Amino acid sequence: DTAVSQTPKYLVTQMGNDKSIKCEQNLGHDTMYWYKQDSKKFLKIMFSYNNKELIINETVPNRFSPKSPDKAHLNLHINSLELGDSAVYFCASSNWTSGRETQYFGPGTRLLVL
Amino acid sequence: KQEVTQIPAALSVPEGENLVLNCSFTDSAIYNLQWFRQDPGKGLTSLLLIQSSQREQTSGRLNASLDKSSGRSTLYIAASQPGDSATYLCAVRAADKLIFGTGTRLQVFP
């Protein structure tokens, strides 16, 4: 049973297209995240949602629009894809127990924009 | 602005060696620090979490220390094995987000 799942695993597309990446967690967590890992393996937060509400938006271009239909899902829609969007996108969810947060990451979606 | 740096960027060692991975951060106002492991083509797995009030955490052959005042953490791996080969990331929690380091790519050869 996968705790945090993402689809698709791989995405190859042309510049200018619009694409979506889906994320689902079955852990009952309230908080979900999207991270971008670039070619140098640097992992950076993009968005954070808590109970379907946006709480972090890290100066990401507005071509990126997260959507949370319910607290188990956080999808990422990207408009007008650019070459620089090529990266691995990770979804994560987290919970807090005894003042400690643990994040659980999905397997990643490898996006290649041609 | 918090910046997290890891040294070395890559490390290749023979099996059985004890090794140390380093993580430094510029702002000591953190809630906690986590060490993650990332296998090629996979997501991240949390290894150890140290709260800001703690000095170290241990799990099996792994030991992580935290010196908040100097902005440093180390991950010590004892008796390394080929299965330890992966990229190791440290991340500090500041306010409501994790800020990741640049990672250390570890290769343990038989």
Short mmCIF file of all heavy atoms in Angstrom, two decimals, chain A residues 5 9 12 19 23 36 67-68 71 77 87 90 94-96 114:
data_model
loop_
_atom_site.label_atom_id
_atom_site.label_comp_id
_atom_site.label_asym_id
_atom_site.label_seq_id
_atom_site.Cartn_x
_atom_site.Cartn_y
_atom_site.Cartn_z
N SER A 5 1.23 8.63 -3.36
CA SER A 5 1.40 8.19 -4.74
C SER A 5 1.26 9.37 -5.69
O SER A 5 0.51 10.32 -5.40
CB SER A 5 0.39 7.10 -5.10
OG SER A 5 -0.93 7.58 -4.92
N LYS A 9 4.41 8.80 -13.49
CA LYS A 9 5.78 8.67 -13.00
C LYS A 9 6.75 9.41 -13.93
O LYS A 9 7.75 9.98 -13.49
CB LYS A 9 6.15 7.20 -12.92
CG LYS A 9 7.23 6.90 -11.92
CD LYS A 9 7.35 5.42 -11.69
CE LYS A 9 8.48 5.15 -10.68
NZ LYS A 9 8.69 3.72 -10.47
N VAL A 12 6.78 13.30 -20.63
CA VAL A 12 7.58 13.96 -21.66
C VAL A 12 6.62 14.73 -22.54
O VAL A 12 5.64 14.16 -23.03
CB VAL A 12 8.36 12.93 -22.51
CG1 VAL A 12 9.22 13.66 -23.55
CG2 VAL A 12 9.23 12.06 -21.61
N LYS A 19 0.00 20.60 -18.67
CA LYS A 19 -0.03 19.23 -18.12
C LYS A 19 -0.37 19.28 -16.63
O LYS A 19 -0.18 20.29 -15.96
CB LYS A 19 1.33 18.55 -18.27
CG LYS A 19 1.70 18.19 -19.69
CD LYS A 19 0.79 17.11 -20.25
CE LYS A 19 1.12 16.81 -21.70
NZ LYS A 19 0.14 15.89 -22.29
N CYS A 23 -1.44 13.83 -7.13
CA CYS A 23 -0.87 13.29 -5.91
C CYS A 23 -1.99 12.90 -4.97
O CYS A 23 -2.96 13.66 -4.78
CB CYS A 23 0.04 14.31 -5.23
SG CYS A 23 0.72 13.73 -3.66
N LYS A 36 10.14 20.80 -5.99
CA LYS A 36 10.79 20.65 -7.29
C LYS A 36 12.26 20.32 -7.06
O LYS A 36 12.92 21.01 -6.26
CB LYS A 36 10.66 21.94 -8.10
CG LYS A 36 11.36 21.89 -9.47
CD LYS A 36 11.19 23.21 -10.22
CE LYS A 36 11.90 23.18 -11.56
NZ LYS A 36 11.76 24.46 -12.30
N LYS A 67 -4.07 22.41 -6.99
CA LYS A 67 -5.50 22.29 -6.72
C LYS A 67 -5.69 21.16 -5.72
O LYS A 67 -5.18 20.05 -5.92
CB LYS A 67 -6.27 21.96 -8.00
CG LYS A 67 -6.24 23.04 -9.06
CD LYS A 67 -7.56 23.73 -9.18
CE LYS A 67 -7.65 24.80 -10.25
NZ LYS A 67 -6.47 25.35 -10.82
N SER A 68 -6.44 21.45 -4.66
CA SER A 68 -6.67 20.44 -3.64
C SER A 68 -8.17 20.19 -3.51
O SER A 68 -8.87 20.91 -2.78
CB SER A 68 -6.10 20.90 -2.30
OG SER A 68 -6.26 19.92 -1.31
N LYS A 71 -8.58 16.84 1.22
CA LYS A 71 -7.27 16.89 1.90
C LYS A 71 -6.38 15.69 1.57
O LYS A 71 -5.22 15.69 1.93
CB LYS A 71 -7.44 17.08 3.40
CG LYS A 71 -7.94 15.89 4.16
CD LYS A 71 -7.91 16.21 5.66
CE LYS A 71 -8.05 14.94 6.47
NZ LYS A 71 -8.00 15.19 7.90
N HIS A 77 -1.09 21.64 -11.64
CA HIS A 77 -1.33 21.91 -13.05
C HIS A 77 -0.32 22.94 -13.54
O HIS A 77 -0.08 23.95 -12.85
CB HIS A 77 -2.75 22.43 -13.26
CG HIS A 77 -3.11 22.54 -14.69
ND1 HIS A 77 -3.42 21.45 -15.48
CD2 HIS A 77 -3.19 23.62 -15.51
CE1 HIS A 77 -3.68 21.84 -16.71
NE2 HIS A 77 -3.55 23.14 -16.76
N ALA A 87 12.26 18.81 -14.58
CA ALA A 87 12.74 18.53 -13.22
C ALA A 87 11.99 17.31 -12.71
O ALA A 87 11.15 16.74 -13.42
CB ALA A 87 12.46 19.72 -12.29
N PHE A 90 8.19 16.32 -6.58
CA PHE A 90 7.83 15.42 -5.50
C PHE A 90 6.64 15.99 -4.72
O PHE A 90 6.61 17.17 -4.37
CB PHE A 90 9.00 15.25 -4.52
CG PHE A 90 10.11 14.40 -5.03
CD1 PHE A 90 11.24 14.99 -5.58
CD2 PHE A 90 10.04 13.02 -4.98
CE1 PHE A 90 12.28 14.20 -6.06
CE2 PHE A 90 11.07 12.23 -5.46
CZ PHE A 90 12.19 12.82 -6.00
N SER A 94 2.36 15.37 5.48
CA SER A 94 2.98 15.34 6.80
C SER A 94 1.93 15.34 7.89
O SER A 94 0.79 15.76 7.70
CB SER A 94 3.92 16.53 6.98
OG SER A 94 3.19 17.71 7.14
N ASN A 95 2.37 14.86 9.03
CA ASN A 95 1.55 14.96 10.22
C ASN A 95 2.41 15.43 11.38
O ASN A 95 3.64 15.41 11.31
CB ASN A 95 0.89 13.62 10.56
CG ASN A 95 1.89 12.56 11.00
OD1 ASN A 95 3.08 12.67 10.73
ND2 ASN A 95 1.41 11.53 11.67
N TRP A 96 1.74 15.89 12.41
CA TRP A 96 2.43 16.34 13.62
C TRP A 96 2.05 15.41 14.76
O TRP A 96 0.87 15.16 15.01
CB TRP A 96 2.01 17.77 13.99
CG TRP A 96 2.64 18.81 13.14
CD1 TRP A 96 2.21 19.26 11.93
CD2 TRP A 96 3.84 19.53 13.42
NE1 TRP A 96 3.06 20.21 11.45
CE2 TRP A 96 4.06 20.41 12.35
CE3 TRP A 96 4.75 19.52 14.49
CZ2 TRP A 96 5.16 21.27 12.30
CZ3 TRP A 96 5.83 20.39 14.44
CH2 TRP A 96 6.04 21.25 13.36
N LEU A 114 10.42 19.26 -23.96
CA LEU A 114 11.28 19.31 -25.16
C LEU A 114 11.02 20.56 -25.99
O LEU A 114 9.92 21.12 -25.95
CB LEU A 114 11.01 18.06 -26.01
CG LEU A 114 11.24 16.72 -25.30
CD1 LEU A 114 10.80 15.58 -26.21
CD2 LEU A 114 12.70 16.57 -24.91
#
